[in-house]
Amino acid sequence: MKRNKPLALVAGAALLTLAACGGGSSDDGSTGDDGAKRDFGGQEGGTKDAERQGPAVEVEGATAGGTVTVYLPGDPGPDTLDPTAGWSVTGNSIQQALTSRSLTQYVRDEDGQPVLVPDLATDLGTANEDFTEWTFTIRDDATWEDGQPVTADEVAFGICRSLDSEAFPSGAGTEYSKTFFDGAADYEGPYTGKDPKCEKWSGISVDGQDVTIKMAVPFPDMDYWGAFMAMGPAPLGNASKPPNYGNKPLSNGPYKVDSYKPNEELVLVKNDQWSADSDPGRHQYADEFVFKFNQDQAKVDEIMLSDNSDSQTAVSTALGSDKYNDANGQLGERLVQQTSQCVSTLTPDYTKITDINVRKALAYAYPYQDVWIAGGEVPGVTRVPANSVMPPGMAGKKEFFVDGEQITYDPEKSKALLAEAGYGDKPYPITMVFYEVDPLAVAGQEQITKGFEAGGFSVKAIPVQDSPYNIWLDPDNKVNKKLNLRGVNWCSDWPAGSTMLPPLLKGGAVYNTAFFDEPSINDEMDNINTLPLEEQADAWGALDEKIMTEYFPIIPTAFRNDLFVFGSKIGNPSGDGSIGAPNYKDLYVMQ
Amino acid sequence: MSAETAGPETLGSLSTEPEHQDPNSQQAKEISGKSPMRIALGRLARDKIAVICAIVVLFFIFCAVFAGPISSVFGVSLETPLASERVDGLNKGLPLPEMGPPNGAFTMEHPMGVAPRTGEDNLAYWLYGCRVSLLIATTATIFASVVGVIIGLLAGFLGGAVDKMLSFFIDMFLTVPFLLAALTLAPIINDRFNTADNYGTIQKIALVVVLSIFGWMGTARLIRGEVITLREREFVQAARVMGMPTSRILFKELLPNLAAPIIISVSLMLPTFVALEAGLAFLGIGVTDGVSWGQTILKATNLTFFREYPQYLWQPLLGIVALVLSLNLLGDAVRDALDPKTRR
């Protein structure tokens, strides 16, 4: 899942993460002298509860009424509210929690862990033996904001829409529906394929309240994919035609769209047709949610720390690193640290840097702490050392270390490894890019260059003014052809290794900028998808360890965390472990 | 940039005669026998503001020229340190107490402290930033005024079709929005040269070219106007009658009479370019390697840093303000000194 930030910030962050990578010393949590020891809102691989029924468990002490204002610093928000088109942390976190229901959903349990529970379906779906056919029974008491019931036909039509990759080019359906659903490859979708009733796609069938989806390949994670709002209902016919539907989608959650100005503001008000009994996960405490996009970070920080009447009922989705100490000291529980299930990596070109010792030398020559500090991160808080690709808490993740302990900055060790690989006599040349428009990215690159040179490398850092992703992902780019070190930031779409390892390390994957391509590993990835469900998580974890210890094709530099700030009158300040956003479902305004 | 660096109305006119004076007065006797330049220099030397400004400007020039030696005297350098050795990542990225302000006492190792987040030495960056600033502004001023003077001379003296054509070019360049052009050019330069080893130098040359291209029109217009009045004067007519070649008339007869407006436009162009260089660096175009006052200001304009460590912002800011202000005042003083109508 992508991070919805403006180009410059993403690119800067990308470089930093590219630069700012995993290893580093092992101070975790905050060690600020005036701050409380802070626990990470983590997620430990998602449990499931197929039996959960509405209404959702009441939040202790919650009161109704009030308006929650959410500031999103430096975040332009979603371009469209069409549930099928959404594939960003910002848009999905808001809509899935408040307006757009789907087959399944996550709730936060008492320990802060996400639990997958039913939503529009009565359970988490029933699969056949080899996960090639999934059946969901749609509940009969869910309603649209106009009072009409949500029907199985509408759910089927919504799912069918996700196959239209031309109408929704940036939707998550282009990745998952298109890959896994039977016959999806040949079906252009209801709009592009001129099939407004979705009659030409045979992969889905509706029988009473049952929706059955056939898969082209085994898809054991369908219940997780069902938590995306793209796997929800859409009104039949012209009512949901894109792009107009994206301005004011019909809501079926506890809130409905009152007004929406892209990149500026989204106002959600109570949907009086939503019935709490039909929904196992959502609440309807506040009267109104106001989302303010593209806010200035420094301004929002001042508002949130001032605790004035504006900020008491407000939430901010980010905190400037320079404010961390003040916030940590002043805010207590109202500053929430949430793992965003993202990893930052450096990817040495597997076809050019062929010796594993050189790749390990890079990992030892990378000054983790220094790059984080120079790049404006708080070491141990917004960036923590990483040991492998799978983020902490993901089901099956193993706590192993490639060399027995966490790799940290150690230029002597780097030199020794280079000597072992036969490059001891002269510096090993590294060519990489950095985003020169952002001074933080430039400062981060200077630290990397410094560290690499101390570790026995010679660095040619090419300044670019385009997003580094545009360089790394373009095979014809003349700069890209010269690089032997790249980087990627990747976040999981659901808590399974299948959304982390194959996109980064399978031969031919778009974001596999290391060009790592080992047939045996590729086969193993294909095999894991066919394993029994309960063995898959451990298999991904084992594969993660195997790839890292045997090949070390990718240098994880950091796991990323988000900081959320809640006003003093916002009840139940917490993060949503499934997506890296505030836990909108359970917020309320103290009266 | 499209504004003229100096307009004729502020200059006084050299073509009009000085007001009538009694040739036997004390003042007139003093002046007689001195060249106009001597008179002007004498006036400048008596102008206290001009002298102070000249000293300030000389100080900056000294810093720029000897940035290297001064740095080594203080034992500082541009070299990037490991950030964690000098700043505290858990304390807002501010410098460690032993590095000096804001959390510690002044230290001779880093006389102006170190930068938050990166720990780079402020004195070294200030000195080399001064050098970059003056180098770019001076070079651009030289190019812009040479081009401006030549175009202005030709347009004014030749007149007719040549004047029309050159005036058209002047107007055309005045219509191009400077900032937009600079913003467009930065990625093009980057795309073309980013793999070159001397990218930093190319970037600075490009900046000089951009500043010159958009800086010569004011001078050209000014000179053209002056030449148009001068070319009808008797000494020029006489030279023509004697059959002197045009180039000789231009450079031997006209140019010396234009010294005053040229000096004035140069002295006002310099501070403009200093400010522009910093402004562009602040916007992230122009110099991007961090060694520029504008880039330091960009890093320092952060509410937390300003509240806790205001020196970090004040250092480059004072540099720019002092340099631009003294260059401007000095320019004004030169104008006053050269203008025969000014009497103080």
Side-chain angles (χ1 to χ4, degrees):
Chain A
M1 183 174 301
K2 73 171 176 179
R3 313 231 80 207
N4 213 359
K5 295 259 173 157
L7 181 72
L9 286 182
V10 168
L15 279 175
L16 294 172
T17 57
L18 155 145
C21 313
S25 73
S26 56
D27 51 341
D28 64 339
S30 93
T31 52
D33 37 4
D34 51 354
K37 181 84 177 162
R38 207 163 273 289
D39 289 326
F40 287 99
Q43 69 112 300
E44 286 170 7
T47 48
K48 294 180 186 179
D49 181 359
E51 305 299 316
R52 193 77 68 100
Q53 295 303 327
V57 184
E58 290 292 319
V59 176
E60 208 177 311
T63 49
T67 298
V68 177
T69 308
V70 183
Y71 295 105
L72 297 108
D75 189 331
D79 299 325
T80 163
L81 297 181
D82 195 312
T84 308
W87 197 9
S88 70
V89 171
T90 314
N92 284 45
S93 65
I94 296 171
Q95 290 176 263
Q96 287 172 189
L98 302 175
T99 64
S100 302
R101 302 179 60 176
S102 55
L103 295 173
T104 59
Q105 65 176 328
Y106 298 95
V107 294
R108 186 185 151 97
D109 70 7
E110 309 81 57
D111 305 325
Q113 302 306 320
V115 183
L116 190 70
V117 301
D119 190 354
L120 284 175
T122 53
D123 55 15
L124 293 177
T126 324
N128 64 355
E129 201 129 293
D130 57 356
F131 298 104
T132 51
E133 193 176 290
W134 280 81
T135 303
F136 292 88
T137 307
I138 306 302
R139 63 173 66 248
D140 51 12
D141 52 356
T143 51
W144 293 99
E145 64 177 90
D146 57 8
Q148 299 297 313
V150 174
T151 65
D153 283 323
E154 286 164 334
V155 174
F157 181 63
I159 293 172
C160 182
R161 287 172 105 227
S162 73
L163 294 171
D164 201 327
S165 46
E166 209 154 303
F168 308 106
S170 58
T174 56
E175 171 74 25
Y176 298 108
S177 298
K178 276 286 189 193
T179 311
F180 290 106
F181 290 179
D182 188 35
D186 308 323
Y187 182 64
E188 289 182 310
Y191 305 106
T192 312
K194 303 260 184 293
D195 179 25
K197 289 183 180 156
C198 191
E199 288 159 336
K200 292 183 196 156
W201 180 41
S202 55
I204 199 162
S205 55
V206 179
D207 177 18
Q209 288 297 97
D210 288 353
V211 174
T212 305
I213 309 167
K214 287 200 194 75
M215 304 295 163
V217 285
F219 189 26
D221 289 336
M222 179 61 214
D223 46 354
Y224 284 120
W225 173 224
F228 270 69
M229 58 187 178
M231 294 291 101
L236 300 176
N238 273 340
S240 62
K241 201 168 171 146
N244 293 344
Y245 186 61
N247 294 330
K248 203 172 191 314
L250 205 60
S251 159
N252 46 33
Y255 294 87
K256 58 184 177 183
V257 178
D258 182 56
S259 72
Y260 171 52
K261 293 180 211 139
N263 299 341
E264 274 183 51
E265 195 181 62
L266 169 66
V267 179
L268 303 179
V269 295
K270 263 189 183 177
N271 172 14
D272 51 14
Q273 297 296 326
W274 172 81
S275 114
D277 291 336
S278 73
D279 198 324
R282 296 180 181 82
H283 299 288
Q284 197 181 40
Y285 294 132
D287 290 334
E288 210 175 283
F289 274 89
V290 180
F291 295 88
K292 292 181 177 290
F293 303 113
N294 260 342
Q295 297 295 301
D296 180 61
Q297 179 76 61
K299 197 180 91 188
V300 171
D301 289 346
E302 294 295 319
I303 294 175
M304 297 307 296
L305 284 171
S306 71
D307 195 32
N308 60 16
S309 54
D310 273 348
S311 69
Q312 284 173 346
T313 60
V315 177
S316 166
T317 58
L319 177 76
S321 70
D322 51 294
K323 291 288 189 308
Y324 177 73
N325 280 34
D326 295 344
N328 197 23
Q330 282 177 32
L331 298 179
E333 295 224 311
R334 298 195 284 118
L335 175 66
V336 169
Q337 211 166 286
Q338 176 68 49
T339 168
S340 53
Q341 296 290 292
C342 295
V343 65
S344 301
T345 65
L346 279 181
T347 53
D349 195 313
Y350 198 69
T351 59
K352 293 177 185 166
I353 302 179
T354 49
D355 192 324
I356 185 171
N357 282 328
V358 178
R359 296 194 290 270
K360 280 190 181 170
L362 279 170
Y364 280 105
Y366 187 89
Y368 302 93
Q369 300 279 319
D370 307 288
V371 177
W372 294 335
I373 296 171
E377 302 295 341
V378 186
V381 179
T382 56
R383 293 285 183 278
V384 290
N387 66 323
S388 72
V389 172
M390 284 163 72
M394 180 170 275
K397 176 177 174 70
K398 291 196 173 178
E399 286 305 320
F400 69 95
F401 296 105
V402 173
D403 281 355
E405 56 179 348
Q406 179 66 49
I407 294 179
T408 53
Y409 177 55
D410 186 350
E412 293 312 315
K413 178 110 190 220
S414 166
K415 276 184 185 159
L417 281 166
L418 276 180
E420 200 178 311
Y423 299 103
D425 42 350
K426 63 174 191 211
Y428 188 97
I430 290 292
T431 311
M432 59 199 299
V433 296
F434 69 101
Y435 185 64
E436 71 164 353
V437 180
D438 179 4
L440 291 180
V442 177
Q445 179 62 42
E446 281 170 1
Q447 299 290 336
I448 299 171
T449 304
K450 169 103 181 163
F452 279 179
E453 284 175 354
F457 294 90
S458 70
V459 181
K460 179 162 175 58
I462 300 174
V464 294
Q465 298 206 336
D466 201 357
S467 160
Y469 278 120
N470 293 352
I471 311 277
W472 293 328
L473 301 183
D474 178 1
D476 299 324
N477 188 293
K478 70 179 164 67
V479 174
N480 193 19
K481 284 178 185 165
K482 299 185 181 191
L483 303 180
N484 59 4
L485 187 61
R486 301 184 186 85
V488 176
N489 295 328
W490 194 252
C491 307
S492 65
D493 282 335
W494 56 78
S498 55
T499 67
M500 293 301 294
L501 291 177
L504 289 176
L505 292 167
K506 194 171 181 179
V510 176
Y511 283 90
N512 180 358
T513 54
F515 300 110
F516 177 70
D517 193 356
E518 290 285 342
S520 64
I521 298 292
N522 294 346
D523 290 346
E524 206 160 326
M525 288 183 188
D526 289 337
N527 282 339
I528 292 178
N529 272 333
T530 64
L531 288 177
L533 188 58
E534 56 279 6
E535 291 172 24
Q536 287 197 6
D538 288 332
W540 285 118
L543 182 63
D544 187 24
E545 180 170 5
K546 180 178 173 188
I547 294 175
M548 293 308 283
T549 46
E550 284 181 23
Y551 300 99
F552 203 68
I554 189 165
I555 305 168
T557 57
F559 294 131
R560 304 160 67 107
N561 292 307
D562 290 324
L563 294 171
F564 307 128
V565 184
F566 295 84
S568 55
K569 287 196 173 165
I570 297 285
N572 195 18
S574 54
D576 180 348
S578 66
I579 200 169
N583 182 20
Y584 299 120
K585 278 179 186 170
D586 298 338
L587 296 184
Y588 63 91
V589 178
M590 295 181 201
Q591 298 296 332
Chain B
M1 214 29 204
S2 53
E4 292 180 48
T5 44
E9 72 280 1
T10 60
L11 284 174
S13 172
L14 297 177
S15 57
T16 47
E17 297 295 328
E19 56 195 74
H20 179 72
Q21 268 189 349
D22 179 2
N24 296 321
S25 70
Q26 183 69 25
Q27 210 179 5
K29 277 183 187 155
E30 265 180 29
I31 287 172
S32 64
K34 288 183 183 171
S35 76
M37 277 297 157
R38 285 280 314 268
I39 300 171
L41 282 177
R43 282 190 194 158
L44 261 186
R46 283 194 299 277
D47 186 340
K48 281 188 195 118
I49 293 180
V51 173
I52 294 171
C53 288
I55 291 171
V56 173
V57 170
L58 282 175
F59 167 75
F60 280 103
I61 293 174
F62 179 80
C63 286
V65 173
F66 298 104
I70 299 175
S71 298
S72 33
V73 165
F74 284 100
V76 297
S77 73
L78 288 181
E79 199 191 331
T80 310
L82 280 177
S84 57
E85 289 170 0
R86 292 199 184 165
V87 302
D88 184 355
L90 294 173
N91 183 21
K92 306 166 189 170
L94 289 171
L96 291 168
E98 56 268 32
M99 291 297 143
N103 295 325
F106 171 84
T107 152
M108 259 327 272
E109 274 169 40
H110 303 285
M112 280 164 62
V114 297
R117 280 185 180 153
T118 57
E120 285 156 345
D121 186 87
N122 286 343
L123 176 62
Y125 272 78
W126 191 90
L127 288 170
Y128 282 95
C130 178
R131 170 183 283 184
V132 167
S133 191
L134 276 175
L135 193 70
I136 288 175
T138 316
T139 328
T141 305
I142 292 172
F143 279 119
S145 42
V146 166
V147 172
V149 166
I150 292 177
I151 303 262
L153 271 177
L154 289 176
F157 186 74
L158 297 177
V162 178
D163 182 24
K164 282 215 173 91
M165 201 179 71
L166 290 177
S167 296
F168 170 76
F169 273 110
I170 294 175
D171 291 342
M172 197 180 75
F173 273 94
L174 280 173
T175 59
V176 181
F178 165 72
L179 208 58
L180 213 59
L183 277 169
T184 323
L185 212 60
I188 297 174
I189 299 285
N190 174 273
D191 188 52
R192 176 70 185 78
F193 295 109
N194 62 358
T195 51
D197 287 328
N198 50 355
Y199 175 66
T201 317
I202 292 173
Q203 215 175 25
K204 291 186 183 94
I205 293 174
L207 189 58
V208 167
V209 170
V210 170
L211 289 174
S212 316
I213 284 181
F214 291 95
W216 59 271
M217 294 85 73
T219 315
R221 276 191 159 182
L222 180 71
I223 300 295
R224 174 178 166 273
E226 290 293 330
V227 171
I228 284 175
T229 53
L230 276 180
R231 72 172 181 203
E232 307 301 331
R233 297 277 291 276
E234 296 82 353
F235 67 96
V236 179
Q237 305 282 13
R240 273 186 173 167
V241 171
M242 286 159 72
M244 276 190 190
T246 308
S247 60
R248 196 179 153 83
I249 299 177
L250 281 178
F251 294 108
K252 292 284 175 187
E253 304 287 340
L254 286 176
L255 205 53
N257 284 290
L258 294 169
I262 291 173
I263 289 174
I264 290 156
S265 76
V266 164
S267 70
L268 294 178
M269 218 188 284
L270 253 180
T272 319
F273 286 160
V274 169
L276 273 175
E277 188 275 323
L280 289 181
F282 180 81
L283 291 177
I285 48 186
V287 178
T288 52
D289 60 6
V291 190
S292 161
W293 284 343
Q295 290 251 293
T296 313
I297 291 177
L298 171 60
K299 291 178 199 164
T301 46
N302 170 310
L303 272 178
T304 308
F305 292 161
F306 184 62
R307 202 173 290 150
E308 311 254 333
Y309 189 16
Q311 301 96 307
Y312 183 49
L313 177 63
W314 288 124
Q315 290 159 359
L317 209 58
L318 277 177
I320 292 179
V321 170
L323 181 58
V324 172
L325 186 69
S326 23
L327 279 173
N328 264 324
L329 290 177
L330 191 63
D332 277 352
V334 169
R335 189 196 68 195
D336 288 348
L338 284 173
D339 186 350
K341 286 204 290 189
T342 336
R343 294 285 179 270
R344 287 199 171 167

